Amino acid sequence: MFLFLGLPTVNAQEFNQYKGEILDSDSKKPLVFATLSIAGSNISSISNAEGKFSLKVPNEMSTGDLVVSFLGYKTKKIDLKTLKKSGNNKIFLDITVTALSEINISAPKDPKALVLETLKKEVKIILKTLQ
């Protein structure tokens, strides 16, 4: 006869498991390695090579928010109460577009002038370090 004292038992009823997939809202293609986390906790997961995920959440955190993010897409916050437990949840992310300002790159047309300008800057740097 064995006696185990002080060891906590983990019951399957103490967790809710959420399953599903993360998809691009336009193309409906899976988003591979999207990040999923419970807001304000260290519980997180990533989607696999097919965009599918599985996340176990303790019952006491089942009223929290699931945060889903993927580079180049808008981060989505979802109330866990709206997700099916152990069901096939489809989460769609929208592409985010970041407008970049225009940059102009120009160089002197005369290569000799470019080399002389660079050498002048280098000489100034060397003189400053010698002082």
Side-chain angles (χ1 to χ4, degrees):
M1 173 156 51
F2 294 101
L3 182 62
F4 294 101
L5 297 175
L7 296 176
T9 58
V10 178
N11 187 343
Q13 299 301 322
E14 294 176 13
F15 291 91
N16 289 316
Q17 185 166 11
Y18 300 93
K19 293 181 179 182
E21 55 188 322
I22 312 298
L23 304 164
D24 178 293
S25 63
D26 293 329
S27 69
K28 310 300 185 246
K29 290 184 178 180
L31 296 178
V32 178
F33 306 125
T35 303
L36 302 101
S37 61
I38 303 302
S41 79
N42 63 350
I43 298 171
S44 63
S45 185
I46 59 170
S47 60
N48 67 13
E50 288 93 36
K52 296 183 189 257
F53 70 90
S54 177
L55 187 67
K56 277 189 174 181
V57 179
N59 284 343
E60 62 269 12
M61 296 183 130
S62 293
T63 57
D65 291 320
L66 176 67
V67 179
V68 184
S69 61
F70 191 75
L71 186 63
Y73 288 78
K74 292 178 188 170
T75 298
K76 189 174 241 184
K77 197 176 213 181
I78 303 165
D79 189 342
L80 281 173
K81 291 181 239 169
T82 63
L83 295 177
K84 296 179 246 167
K85 296 174 188 166
S86 296
N88 185 24
N89 295 288
K90 291 184 187 260
I91 299 172
F92 295 95
L93 296 184
D94 298 318
I95 291 176
T96 185
V97 177
T98 304
L100 300 176
S101 58
E102 181 181 335
I103 38 175
N104 294 314
I105 300 173
S106 61
K109 300 202 186 256
D110 180 18
K112 184 178 178 182
L114 179 61
V115 170
L116 288 174
E117 184 181 334
T118 305
L119 288 173
K120 285 179 189 176
K121 288 180 182 178
E122 289 297 319
V123 168
K124 285 180 184 178
I125 292 170
I126 292 170
L127 289 175
K128 281 184 183 179
T129 58
L130 293 176
Q131 291 177 354

